[in-house]
Amino acid sequence: MDPVLISVLARRFESIARRMQHTLVRSARSGVISSGHDCSCCVLSKRAELLSVAQTIPIHVMAGADAMARSMAVLHPELRRGDAFLHNSPHLGGTHAADFTVLVPVVDEAGGHRFTVLAKAHQADIGNARPTTYMAEAPDIYAEGALIFPAVHIEREYRLVEDIVRIGMARIRAPEQWRGDLLALIGAARTGESELRALAADYGWSPLVDFAAAWLDRSEQRMRDVIAGLPAGTAHGESRHDPFPGTPADGVLVRAGVAIDPAAETITVDLRDNPDVLPCGLNLSEATARASALIGVFNGIGRDVPANAGSIRRVRVCLREGCVVGVPPREASCSVATTNLADRVVNAVHRAMASLSPDLGMAEVGAIEGPAGAVISGRDPRHRGRSYVNQLALADTGGAAGPREDAWLTMGNACTAGMWTLDSVEASELKYPLRVWERRLAADTEGAGQFRGAPACRLTFGPVGGAMRLAYASDGCVNAARGVRGGTAGAPAGQWLHREAGGIEALPAVGDLEVAPGETVTASTAGGGGYGEPHERDPQRVCADVREGYMSVTRAEQVYGVACEANGTLDPTRTARLRKRSSRPPDAARG
């Protein structure tokens, strides 16, 4: 196929996914989608191969989208124009129950299935036993109580199946909000269908199908070329999740083996040497286990490679049935499968790759943000006591340093890769009965290194006019994000409740509490790990961090061996003496 036409159509397909994403974000009702952008859209081939994605959340689509499309075709062998399917089963390709997905088969004029478009979004409420989409303590899927729709018809002949909608609204705490978000998902998928039909009118269906095969082959060749230039080797990485209800007392140690074979042009990630499933919501679904391994690889190679089924062909992920980061049994709870242990898998792969070469891998990304990303619920006194439910995205930094650059400040947890955007404080205060008293970066919390991790963020907020229920699941309070190749760890996370009568109460790793008017919650997110020796950091970059308020003059001197004034002016003579005195910084305490 003509290379120019391949490039043109690749951009056209990408624009279709982007328009789907815009439709979803602009029409959703809940803040978690409209403000937090916890959603993803993609286009798949008839064979369920991932073709093109928008600026989506990697854990949503790197794996699982293909399995969901396949399960749709198996469960509904006769796909018709006007069909749309609602899918969120974590055992049929879904990520976790909270990620509702609408799939639309794109059918040509003769009734032939040509492509599938997929729109996915994290819901504010899914009917769980408690008002949260993260049932971290649930011993099994039955205790979660989530509504599960395994690729069921949500539209036939372009008409909404109201029976399904009524089932959902009967179990949802803010039913009109949920219905609005569902219609936004359907609208996004229909946008993709309409755009593909318009594209076929320009080029014809057969050339588009030919393009799909050629584009995936080209992407695979790009990945082959990259792997061929990598160093051969096998390494193992580890990352430990904090102690949690349902876990061992020392938490969960996640291991990842990574083998790079430049001759065969393959990368293998082995996750089989990990614990069995746990009686809590930490278990990964098969989709999130595969996706988190792939995210770690794509982050770690640090090259411009299209993220689609073609490039993914060169990465083999080995999973074990009954494993906490593998293939779970049907009854296992995967309620928090897109965050906690998935992040630890990504970090373990980062570490393994970094140990193979100073040009590969990344440090550890800061863990999930706890109360800063809590699900809030209650009744809004400003609107006659109307029920509200929403997941916050008020603070999240945690970015890990890489071998060539500092961390992405708002990367967030590893599996969202910065695509989950921060909420606007003002918009959140207008939409929900809360007030944000503080949101700022915390100095001296970054993981130090030749390239530094992101500093932590400190957030304080509380309810207005009535009590607010807060549900969250955190990580990184005990096991901070570690550095690699001489880099140091970022600051650990933490969360506290400030009582109205005075006093500060440390909050546990998993919380479900009522916050009264006059009380506030403070969350400190985790800093990201550093990459490389801190004394090898460019002194001008250290001084720039001092100017920005990311670090103190004292930390610059003690950890990086850089002397500068409070205004960030470098003292080169004194810096040379400091660095000559010690080639490696002491284990300095954080400022």
Side-chain angles (χ1 to χ4, degrees):
M1 194 171 188
D2 178 27
V4 174
L5 182 58
I6 291 176
S7 296
V8 169
L9 288 177
R11 294 294 175 264
R12 291 289 296 270
F13 270 78
E14 183 182 326
S15 73
I16 290 172
R18 211 164 41 237
R19 289 182 185 184
M20 292 171 64
Q21 189 91 353
H22 290 168
T23 300
L24 180 51
V25 168
R26 291 172 67 88
S27 56
R29 291 193 180 184
S30 63
V32 67
I33 305 172
S34 61
S35 180
H37 294 194
D38 197 349
C39 56
S40 300
C41 296
C42 64
V43 181
L44 302 105
S45 72
K46 175 184 176 178
R47 296 169 55 188
E49 300 161 307
L50 181 65
L51 282 177
S52 189
V53 299
Q55 289 185 342
T56 54
I57 293 176
I59 197 71
H60 281 171
V61 296
M62 288 290 281
D66 52 352
M68 297 183 93
R70 283 195 297 270
S71 65
M72 174 195 73
V74 169
L75 294 171
H76 304 276
E78 296 184 19
L79 297 171
R80 296 182 174 88
R81 191 173 173 186
D83 283 344
F85 301 94
L86 181 60
H87 198 344
N88 71 324
S89 172
H91 302 285
L92 287 175
T95 42
H96 67 155
D99 288 335
F100 275 33
T101 302
V102 169
L103 299 105
V104 167
V106 181
V107 178
D108 65 20
E109 296 74 10
H113 176 206
R114 295 291 191 165
F115 296 94
T116 298
V117 290
L118 179 152
K120 174 182 287 193
H122 186 104
Q123 303 298 294
D125 185 23
I126 55 171
N128 273 337
R130 293 189 281 111
T132 177
T133 50
Y134 296 109
M135 292 286 286
E137 298 171 284
D140 53 39
I141 196 170
Y142 311 111
E144 288 181 38
L147 287 161
I148 302 293
F149 297 101
V152 302
H153 264 107
I154 191 64
E155 281 194 336
R156 283 191 174 96
E157 297 180 349
Y158 295 104
R159 292 186 177 182
L160 196 63
V161 180
E162 293 288 355
D163 285 348
I164 299 299
V165 179
R166 282 193 293 272
I167 289 172
M169 293 184 72
R171 284 277 300 281
I172 300 296
R173 294 167 177 86
E176 289 301 327
Q177 174 180 277
W178 177 81
R179 188 177 191 275
D181 287 346
L182 175 63
L183 294 178
L185 279 167
I186 295 171
R190 290 299 184 199
T191 296
E193 177 193 32
S194 176
E195 291 292 330
L196 274 169
R197 294 182 65 81
L199 189 60
D202 290 342
Y203 290 92
W205 288 110
S206 292
L208 297 187
V209 172
D210 292 343
F211 154 76
W215 175 237
L216 295 181
D217 287 345
R218 174 186 277 197
S219 300
E220 181 180 11
Q221 186 58 55
R222 171 60 180 152
M223 188 64 156
R224 294 174 72 116
D225 294 342
V226 168
I227 297 174
L230 299 180
T234 300
H236 292 83
E238 298 179 346
S239 186
R240 187 180 291 276
H241 190 284
D242 288 356
F244 214 73
T247 74
D250 59 349
V252 183
L253 181 64
V254 174
R255 304 177 182 89
V258 176
I260 299 176
D261 188 342
E265 298 168 342
T266 60
I267 296 176
T268 300
V269 180
D270 193 340
L271 300 180
R272 291 174 293 187
D273 184 21
N274 279 297
D276 291 340
V277 293
L278 296 167
C280 64
L282 282 181
N283 304 295
L284 299 193
S285 59
E286 181 176 356
T288 55
R290 292 189 183 280
S292 54
L294 291 169
I295 293 167
V297 168
F298 276 74
N299 287 351
I301 60 176
R303 305 293 194 278
D304 183 16
V305 178
N308 60 33
S311 54
I312 290 170
R313 290 171 189 163
R314 309 312 301 173
V315 183
R316 181 185 177 216
V317 181
C318 302
L319 304 178
R320 176 173 65 84
E321 290 193 9
C323 179
V324 70
V325 292
V327 184
R330 179 177 172 274
E331 66 275 9
S333 172
C334 304
S335 187
V336 292
T338 57
T339 50
N340 298 54
L341 284 189
D343 293 340
R344 295 297 180 173
V345 169
V346 175
N347 283 336
V349 174
H350 282 179
R351 297 186 66 83
M353 296 188 75
S355 70
L356 289 171
S357 168
D359 295 320
L360 296 177
M362 293 178 71
E364 290 194 2
V365 180
I368 191 70
E369 67 288 336
V375 176
I376 58 171
S377 61
R379 294 190 176 277
D380 192 339
R382 305 169 305 171
H383 299 288
R384 300 181 181 180
R386 185 178 64 193
S387 295
Y388 67 89
V389 182
N390 184 56
Q391 182 179 356
L392 300 176
L394 281 170
D396 206 2
T397 52
R404 288 170 288 278
E405 194 49 79
D406 292 341
W408 184 350
L409 177 62
T410 56
M411 183 176 184
N413 65 301
C415 291
T416 62
M419 296 298 115
W420 185 26
T421 61
L422 293 183
D423 287 342
S424 159
V425 168
E426 292 79 8
S428 297
E429 291 178 337
L430 285 171
K431 198 164 188 177
Y432 302 102
L434 64 83
R435 179 167 296 167
V436 177
W437 297 97
E438 173 189 35
R439 182 167 74 174
R440 63 179 176 84
L441 295 177
D444 296 349
T445 56
E446 89 297 342
Q450 180 181 5
F451 299 105
R452 60 155 177 78
C457 183
R458 184 179 174 89
L459 172 77
T460 301
F461 69 99
V464 173
M468 173 184 289
R469 191 168 179 179
L470 199 73
Y472 66 89
S474 65
D475 184 23
C477 300
V478 177
N479 296 290
R482 294 178 295 169
V484 296
R485 304 193 74 88
T488 70
Q495 50 257 346
W496 304 269
L497 174 65
H498 302 260
R499 295 291 186 186
E500 185 177 15
I504 302 175
E505 177 184 329
L507 294 174
V510 178
D512 184 359
L513 66 151
E514 187 172 276
V515 183
E519 296 180 337
T520 59
V521 171
T522 294
S524 181
T525 65
Y531 197 111
E533 297 285 352
H535 270 214
E536 294 178 7
R537 183 165 177 76
D538 182 348
Q540 293 292 353
R541 285 195 168 202
V542 176
C543 291
D545 287 342
V546 171
R547 285 195 300 273
E548 291 294 328
Y550 293 164
M551 71 178 65
S552 64
V553 170
T554 301
R555 182 167 174 81
E557 180 175 324
Q558 292 182 350
V559 177
Y560 293 91
V562 173
C564 62
E565 304 297 330
N567 64 0
T569 302
L570 176 67
D571 183 337
T573 304
R574 190 157 165 259
T575 295
R577 288 202 301 267
L578 286 170
R579 289 198 162 179
K580 184 177 181 180
R581 189 184 308 162
S582 174
S583 60
R584 181 180 176 90
D587 294 330
R590 299 188 179 279

